[in-house]
Amino acid sequence: ACWIDAWVFEQLLDKADALWVDARNEAQRMEACELTCQALDLYQGAFLAGESWNTDAISVNEHLHNRYFKGLYKLGDHLVLNNQLKEAQGFLEHGLQIDDCAEECYRRLMTCLQRLGQRAEALKVFERCRRTLGARLGTEPSRETVTVYRSLQVH
């Protein structure tokens, strides 16, 4: 028998995704949360990071990366809806450790911090996003991210 973390990661997210869709009660939503948390804990970043020459590895890496962030956002949304803002904040911050160019993660973190009453911290997250995207990708934050930033400025 062989244990491959990428396969387990996908299996956990497959089960969680099915529960997120079909959850009829809080117990099922909690099970979806638990499975998602288990999967996210398995993800350690780039799949076969040293194999940048291997197109198959690149494809699998992108697939797993996208699954990680979809799972993260589902879990984060659930936590925010249930007013578990500190937990959501922790997961979102970890997501930015995985990929510091994940702009949607910055937006969600800014919104979460705003709901926690940490407006100054949310503004700092925008500045971190702006600097990181500029330095790493040579781009500015999207219109959606700027809109969240502006909403923080008026409050």
Side-chain angles (χ1 to χ4, degrees):
C2 174
W3 190 86
I4 299 173
D5 58 355
W7 288 350
V8 175
F9 170 78
E10 293 236 73
Q11 289 172 344
L12 288 168
L13 284 179
D14 288 344
K15 289 177 187 176
D17 287 346
L19 279 170
W20 287 119
V21 170
D22 296 330
R24 305 230 188 293
N25 56 50
E26 189 57 27
Q28 290 174 325
R29 285 186 285 280
M30 291 305 298
E31 186 178 353
C33 281
E34 182 58 35
L35 291 168
T36 304
C37 286
Q38 289 174 23
L40 297 181
D41 285 345
L42 283 175
Y43 189 81
Q44 299 299 311
F47 177 77
L48 298 176
E51 307 250 347
S52 59
W53 55 270
N54 183 333
T55 56
D56 291 334
I58 293 169
S59 178
V60 171
N61 180 44
E62 289 177 7
H63 170 75
L64 295 174
H65 183 270
N66 290 337
R67 294 263 347 240
Y68 171 85
F69 278 96
K70 285 179 184 177
L72 172 66
Y73 299 150
K74 280 182 189 174
L75 177 63
D77 290 349
H78 176 80
L79 293 172
V80 167
L81 283 172
N82 286 284
N83 211 32
Q84 295 174 289
L85 300 170
K86 282 299 219 184
E87 293 84 353
Q89 176 188 359
F91 280 105
L92 293 166
E93 287 175 347
H94 186 262
L96 289 172
Q97 290 173 0
I98 296 291
D99 181 355
D100 64 351
C101 292
E103 191 174 355
E104 185 174 349
C105 199
Y106 284 107
R107 279 195 304 274
R108 289 169 183 263
L109 179 57
M110 289 172 8
T111 301
C112 183
L113 289 167
Q114 180 183 30
R115 289 193 56 183
L116 279 166
Q118 297 178 14
R119 185 177 152 273
E121 289 303 312
L123 292 168
K124 287 179 188 177
V125 168
F126 175 80
E127 286 305 319
R128 186 170 100 204
C129 173
R130 189 185 58 73
R131 283 192 315 272
T132 302
L133 294 178
R136 303 230 317 131
L137 303 177
T139 188
E140 291 291 318
S142 69
R143 183 176 318 137
E144 294 90 347
T145 303
V146 172
T147 299
V148 173
Y149 171 70
R150 287 186 179 141
S151 76
L152 294 169
Q153 290 181 309
V154 296
H155 287 97

